[in-house]
Structure formats: structure tokens, C-alpha cells
Amino acid sequence: MKKSGILMVLGSALLLGLFIYPLWNIQLEAPQYPDPLGMNIYISGIQGEEEFDIQNIDGINHYIGMKKIPTPAEMWEFNTFPLVIGGMAALGALLGILGFFKVIGPNWFLGWLILMTVLGILGMMDFNNWLTDYGTDLDPKAIMKLTDSEGNPLSYKPPLLGSQKILNFTAHSYPRAGAYLMFVGMLLTLVAWWVGKKAKGTMAK
């Protein structure tokens, strides 16, 4: 259990990378912008890839009636997610220490992983809902009112994952370093459970 406990601590500690690195990135590519406009999405807020990217994206969105990029104060997620990630990292480290000293068994590690997976899925669903609202809740007084062949307002929702053409822009949406660190951390906790279970079975023999 000592090896699995160490792996559990290391895996949960990698979640802390989300406090440093962006979780997700969205880029807008178009002929009039040789360098794509981009925004990095952190668990505590959104920042432009370059100094004026957020300002330029808001300027483009204004013409079609989209909302401005929200500040941390305007979204409860940016206050809640850091608490959730910090809490899960601390809980995982505690479980790893208890496992190291054989106070608990490896199934606790699996329970942590299942909880983290559920929270991750809920987070992605919330992110997708925000993207949907961001791209469809348009100001009726917008300068440009573009509609489809049936007269319905166009959706400017960026993709949750992948690339998609939106008017003359191509939107790219992909995970960044923070997400990869989280995935690796969760994989390590799965390995910790497997190693601990294997060690427990060997001891039983």
C-alpha cells in the first residue's frame, strides 16, 4: 500500500496545476486576423492569449449581439471551481497518506476517482451550457441580425471540443495544460487503486 499511497498523493497533487495553467482554450481564426484571437479559460477566470484579444473578441461580438466575455465576478463557477479543485486535491492527498500507513484500503482511491469523474462531467456540462447561452442569447438590438434560411437567428456557439465554422471565422476549442495535468493525475489515481488492490491480494495469499 505504500507505493499506491504515494501514487495517490502525486495524482491528486497534479490537480493543483489547474491553479497555474489554463483548463481550456478557444481560438477564433479569420482572414482579417493573421494571428488568431484566443482566450484561455482558467478555473478562476478567462484571459486573452494576447493583450488585446478579449477586447477584440468583445468588439466583434458586439456587432452580432453577443455578450461580453464574463469577468470572475459575473460567473459563480469562477469562485466555486477553485474551492472544488483545492478540496479534491486535499482529500486525495489525505487518502493517499492514510493508504500509505494502511489505515484505509485502495477502494477509497477508486471512490475518489469516481467522485472526481462525476464532478468533471458536471463541469463540462456546465461549460457547454455556458457556450450555448453565450452563442444563442443575442441582443435583439444588435447592429447585425443574421438569420438562417428559415428566418431563425443564427447560433454562434463555439464547439465544446474541436473546430467549427462560424460565419467567416473558424472556432477552435481544445483542452490545455491544466486539463492534461488533471487527466494524468486521475490516471495515476487509477493506477494507485490497481497497485493497492494487487498488493492487498498478494498479502492475503
Side-chain angles (χ1 to χ4, degrees):
M1 281 295 292
K2 287 188 176 182
K3 185 182 293 186
S4 65
I6 292 172
L7 287 171
M8 184 66 196
V9 171
L10 290 176
S12 55
L14 285 179
L15 295 185
L16 299 177
L18 287 166
F19 287 92
I20 303 172
Y21 301 105
L23 173 66
W24 217 262
N25 173 271
I26 296 177
Q27 283 190 340
L28 297 176
E29 186 178 0
Q32 65 266 42
Y33 290 99
D35 296 321
L37 301 176
M39 52 184 182
N40 287 320
I41 301 172
Y42 294 80
I43 59 172
S44 57
I46 300 175
Q47 296 180 11
E49 284 191 287
E50 301 296 336
E51 183 179 1
F52 297 108
D53 278 3
I54 295 296
Q55 179 180 331
N56 288 330
I57 291 172
D58 281 340
I60 295 168
N61 291 346
H62 171 72
Y63 287 100
I64 55 178
M66 293 177 69
K67 301 173 183 176
K68 287 188 175 182
I69 304 299
T71 64
E74 293 171 333
M75 287 187 68
W76 63 266
E77 289 90 342
F78 292 141
N79 294 311
T80 303
F81 285 178
L83 296 176
V84 172
I85 294 299
M88 288 301 294
L91 176 60
L94 175 61
L95 293 177
I97 293 170
L98 293 176
F100 181 88
F101 290 107
K102 301 179 181 178
V103 177
I104 60 174
N107 284 340
W108 283 87
F109 302 167
L110 182 61
W112 181 95
L113 179 60
I114 292 172
L115 176 59
M116 188 64 206
T117 301
V118 170
L119 290 173
I121 292 172
L122 291 175
M124 291 303 293
M125 290 174 61
D126 182 75
F127 179 42
N128 187 62
N129 289 337
W130 174 74
L131 288 176
T132 300
D133 179 71
Y134 179 67
T136 58
D137 185 15
L138 307 177
D139 185 351
K141 298 179 181 179
I143 298 171
M144 297 176 61
K145 300 180 181 66
L146 302 178
T147 58
D148 60 20
S149 58
E150 297 179 355
N152 300 312
L154 291 178
S155 171
Y156 304 104
K157 175 185 179 296
L160 178 63
L161 178 65
S163 299
Q164 179 179 316
K165 191 77 174 176
I166 305 176
L167 297 180
N168 63 322
F169 284 88
T170 300
H172 307 282
S173 178
Y174 292 98
R176 279 298 184 262
Y180 293 127
L181 287 173
M182 180 178 67
F183 295 149
V184 172
M186 292 173 69
L187 179 60
L188 280 179
T189 62
L190 179 62
V191 173
W193 167 75
W194 183 81
V195 170
K197 189 174 182 180
K198 188 176 179 181
K200 194 173 182 181
T202 301
M203 289 177 61
K205 294 179 181 179

